[in-house]
Amino acid sequence: MNAPIEFSFLIGGVFCVLIFASGVAFILKRRLGSGNANPVIDNLIARINAWWAMATLLTIAMLFGRAGAVTLFALLSFAAMREFLTLTAKSRADHYVLATAFFFVLPFQYYLVWIDWYGLYSIFIPVYAFLFLPIIAAFRGETENFLTRVSETQWGLMICVFAASHVPALLSLQIPGFEGKSILLIAFLVVVVQGSDVLQYVFGKLFGRHKIAPKLSPSKTWEGFIGGVVSASLLGACLFWMTPFAFWQAFLVSFVIAIMGFFGGLVMSAIKRDKGVKDWGHLIAGHGGFIDRLDSVVFSAPIFFHIVRYFWSTV
Amino acid sequence: MSVTQILANIAAMVIVLFARLVTAVRAVWDGVEPIRSKRVYFANHTSNGDFILIWTVLPSNMRHETRPVAAADYWLASKLRIFIGREVFNAVLIDRNPETREKDPVGQMASALDEGSSLILFPEGTRNTGDQALLPFKSGMYHLATQRPDVDIVPVWIENLNRVMPKGEFFPIPLICTVRFGEPMRLKDGEGKDDFLSRSRTALLALKDDGELV
């Protein structure tokens, strides 16, 4: 448990923001008066309360360093994949495929991240799971919807396990002058991408007029998107002191993270529409399911990982 | 508290925790409240875990007084099953074979209700492993309703558990399940067996239609 000092500053900042948010929500609720229920305010309060829980959980996990981060994201992958595969096409014949995905592929991917085997964890799911799971499916001889079933299962693994595992994989990057601080890369990514989600929500609620993709996600507006992405990029730039980046580099990296996060939300919304649901799950009050909260993270994490690896890392 | 009781309580906790870990089960109380009241819950039956799922989503004070009605031949087949069936779930064990049975199943259920328990019934009588949503109902629930007409009969639809653990598989896969409780019903004056059974079957199937995750 030896987190760098910058981590304490960041966490202090995050909790100050949460105290402020809870204060604002409290005043909004009071101004409304008791007796008048407003679903938007109630949802806002539920969301903020869930943020308290999520921020606390993340902080605790980070304090345990590498073990904490790998364990936390393995569990998040499990919860996310449980939601994803609930909605995908499957038949009774897929029992072994799904069991292999949950009980072998998922833990093995995180084991590879844990032992730092970049050469294998970056291809294990896209190559080995991709080829071998359909083989297991074929053995059962059920051909109905075969391609749909194997594709949707693979998609679930790519999104919920492969992409998500790139968050703890950030810890394996060796950056000169940044030794022992790589946990800050995770903190930076999470704060920027979740900050971008929150800021898009805030800008959208305050100024949102023009819908960006009415068919996919009625709550996303141009005003929310631009305001959120620009302010999140500035937020990331202002956090440059805890990263290996210069101010302008932190701005550009945050910009990419925020944009990818936005598109992640859009793609995952499209899947929800396709499957006819509003939320992925119900376990995070006010937010929906785990994937509703992780969609932006999983889309930005691999890109962030490769940007840092290519430009800053020595391995 | 005896050692058996302590073990039974621990086993109950482990079972509930495991059920939540695998299924993240969610209860939807749709026309009925989760309050202590003498009830007969009746549900679709696709998996051995059906009863466990209902039991898991009940508040703990209701859980202890809600007993499943289960087949004696299954639950008396091994020592572990006897322990779980008798001590953990406190099941009302009935003999499914009319020729060998000594006690009348409906009488057993009625006396469990009289002792203050609620019941969980699977009126299809056996696990449904086919493509049909719901098998025809056996008549036991009707006879119970005529003997105890003042007890609320609550339909409960269990969604997705057949995918978590299809018949013949040995381990579950984690998928989200929903347990939806519907509006209570009672036997109407002069309602015949077939009318009552088809009305209760329709009430249960109605819960399926909006059983998706919304």
Side-chain angles (χ1 to χ4, degrees):
Chain A
M1 285 228 238
N2 45 356
I5 187 74
E6 291 91 338
F7 187 68
S8 322
F9 295 148
L10 181 74
I11 296 305
V14 167
F15 281 101
C16 284
V17 171
L18 282 176
I19 291 170
F20 175 74
S22 287
V24 170
F26 180 73
I27 291 168
L28 284 174
K29 177 100 183 155
R30 265 262 297 265
R31 282 230 310 242
L32 204 67
S34 59
N36 303 326
N38 181 327
V40 177
I41 306 256
D42 287 341
N43 177 261
L44 179 72
I45 291 170
R47 274 174 188 251
I48 294 170
N49 290 343
W51 274 120
W52 276 100
M54 290 187 279
T56 308
L57 187 69
L58 264 166
T59 307
I60 294 170
M62 297 295 168
L63 288 176
F64 284 92
R66 189 180 183 77
V70 172
T71 311
L72 175 68
F73 278 89
L75 293 174
L76 290 175
S77 280
F78 175 84
M81 202 156 69
R82 192 173 57 183
E83 289 171 359
F84 196 94
L85 294 179
T86 297
L87 297 182
T88 55
K90 53 199 165 300
S91 83
R92 193 165 286 183
D94 292 325
H95 203 72
Y96 287 109
V97 173
L98 299 176
T100 310
F102 269 106
F103 302 122
F104 175 67
V105 177
L106 188 159
F108 194 63
Q109 171 74 4
Y110 279 92
Y111 171 72
L112 293 171
V113 169
W114 168 256
I115 63 166
D116 239 357
W117 190 354
Y118 173 77
L120 191 51
Y121 73 64
S122 57
I123 61 162
F124 174 59
I125 290 172
V127 176
Y128 290 93
F130 176 69
L131 295 177
F132 282 93
L133 288 180
I135 294 175
I136 299 176
F139 269 120
R140 291 289 285 261
E142 171 64 80
T143 54
E144 200 181 322
N145 284 329
F146 186 82
L147 185 56
T148 311
R149 282 157 40 209
V150 297
S151 315
E152 294 193 354
T153 305
Q154 180 68 14
W155 230 85
L157 276 173
M158 286 297 289
I159 281 294
C160 303
V161 183
F162 178 75
S165 73
H166 281 72
V167 180
L170 288 165
L171 296 178
S172 62
L173 297 175
Q174 301 289 325
I175 300 164
F178 201 64
E179 289 84 3
K181 291 187 177 181
S182 52
I183 199 91
L184 293 174
L185 288 173
I186 296 185
F188 176 78
L189 169 68
V190 170
V191 167
V192 171
V193 76
Q194 298 293 348
S196 169
D197 280 1
V198 172
L199 289 162
Q200 284 176 41
Y201 171 87
V202 171
F203 275 90
K205 281 270 178 277
L206 292 178
F207 310 109
R209 290 266 157 71
H210 304 90
K211 295 196 168 156
I212 206 164
K215 265 187 84 179
L216 290 186
S217 179
S219 61
K220 286 189 169 45
T221 60
W222 279 103
E223 291 82 357
F225 167 62
I226 294 169
V229 167
V230 171
S231 55
S233 308
L234 282 171
L235 168 72
C238 294
L239 294 175
F240 80 97
W241 47 270
M242 55 176 279
T243 68
F245 319 135
F247 182 85
W248 67 272
Q249 293 169 329
F251 180 87
L252 283 183
V253 170
S254 305
F255 184 74
V256 174
I257 291 175
I259 292 272
M260 283 310 293
F262 171 80
F263 285 130
L266 211 58
V267 170
M268 298 314 277
S269 274
I271 297 177
K272 283 192 285 186
R273 297 268 163 248
D274 178 21
K275 299 291 180 188
V277 296
K278 199 175 126 292
D279 289 322
W280 283 99
H282 58 93
L283 287 177
I284 310 180
H287 295 263
F290 282 88
I291 301 180
D292 292 291
R293 210 52 278 140
L294 285 171
D295 52 7
S296 48
V297 179
V298 293
F299 267 69
S300 53
I303 307 297
F304 177 62
F305 175 90
H306 287 290
I307 290 175
V308 178
R309 187 170 187 276
Y310 186 79
F311 290 107
W312 279 274
S313 167
T314 52
V315 282
Chain B
M1 212 188 268
S2 72
V3 176
T4 322
Q5 264 179 311
I6 294 171
L7 280 178
N9 286 346
I10 294 172
M13 275 194 299
V14 170
I15 289 169
V16 166
L17 194 72
F18 182 73
R20 288 200 184 278
L21 188 69
V22 173
T23 67
V25 57
R26 177 178 67 148
V28 181
W29 296 85
D30 197 0
V32 60
E33 292 302 313
I35 45 170
R36 284 175 75 180
S37 163
K38 200 187 285 185
R39 288 168 178 165
V40 173
Y41 299 97
F42 70 99
N44 55 321
H45 196 20
T46 55
S47 152
N48 280 331
D50 283 327
F51 155 68
I52 293 172
L53 227 51
I54 297 179
W55 206 61
T56 300
V57 297
L58 288 176
S60 58
N61 59 342
M62 292 166 69
R63 198 182 288 156
H64 294 300
E65 51 196 34
T66 306
R67 305 173 62 185
V69 178
D73 52 285
Y74 181 84
W75 286 103
L76 296 178
S78 75
K79 275 206 166 139
L80 181 68
R81 284 184 193 173
I82 292 175
F83 172 73
I84 292 179
R86 282 240 173 96
E87 306 299 334
V88 182
F89 297 150
N90 191 17
V92 179
L93 295 178
I94 57 171
D95 190 342
R96 282 191 287 194
N97 186 344
E99 278 154 31
T100 61
R101 73 181 158 213
E102 292 159 4
K103 291 186 209 157
D104 164 40
V106 176
Q108 283 178 279
M109 291 183 234
S111 54
L113 286 173
D114 295 341
E115 287 161 17
S117 300
S118 290
L119 296 176
I120 299 175
L121 286 186
F122 298 104
E124 292 165 277
T126 184
R127 272 181 294 161
N128 175 7
T129 56
D131 296 329
Q132 258 183 298
L134 205 52
L135 300 174
F137 281 6
K138 306 264 186 221
S139 59
M141 198 166 75
Y142 166 75
H143 297 301
L144 184 62
T146 48
Q147 290 190 18
R148 297 290 178 275
D150 54 336
V151 177
D152 280 335
I153 302 176
V154 179
V156 184
W157 184 265
I158 301 167
E159 185 72 36
N160 232 7
L161 195 61
N162 52 338
R163 296 221 175 88
V164 169
M165 190 136 175
K167 191 174 188 176
E169 304 291 356
F170 294 104
F171 45 84
I173 49 166
L175 298 170
I176 295 174
C177 296
T178 309
V179 175
R180 191 178 290 263
F181 295 83
E183 213 172 308
M185 48 186 287
R186 289 185 182 186
L187 185 67
K188 288 179 185 163
D189 278 338
E191 191 174 25
K193 188 175 90 174
D194 293 340
D195 289 342
F196 175 78
L197 290 179
S198 91
R199 188 161 66 94
S200 50
R201 195 166 176 275
T202 311
L204 183 54
L205 277 171
L207 296 172
K208 176 184 187 286
D209 292 334
D210 39 37
E212 86 257 21
L213 288 164
V214 175

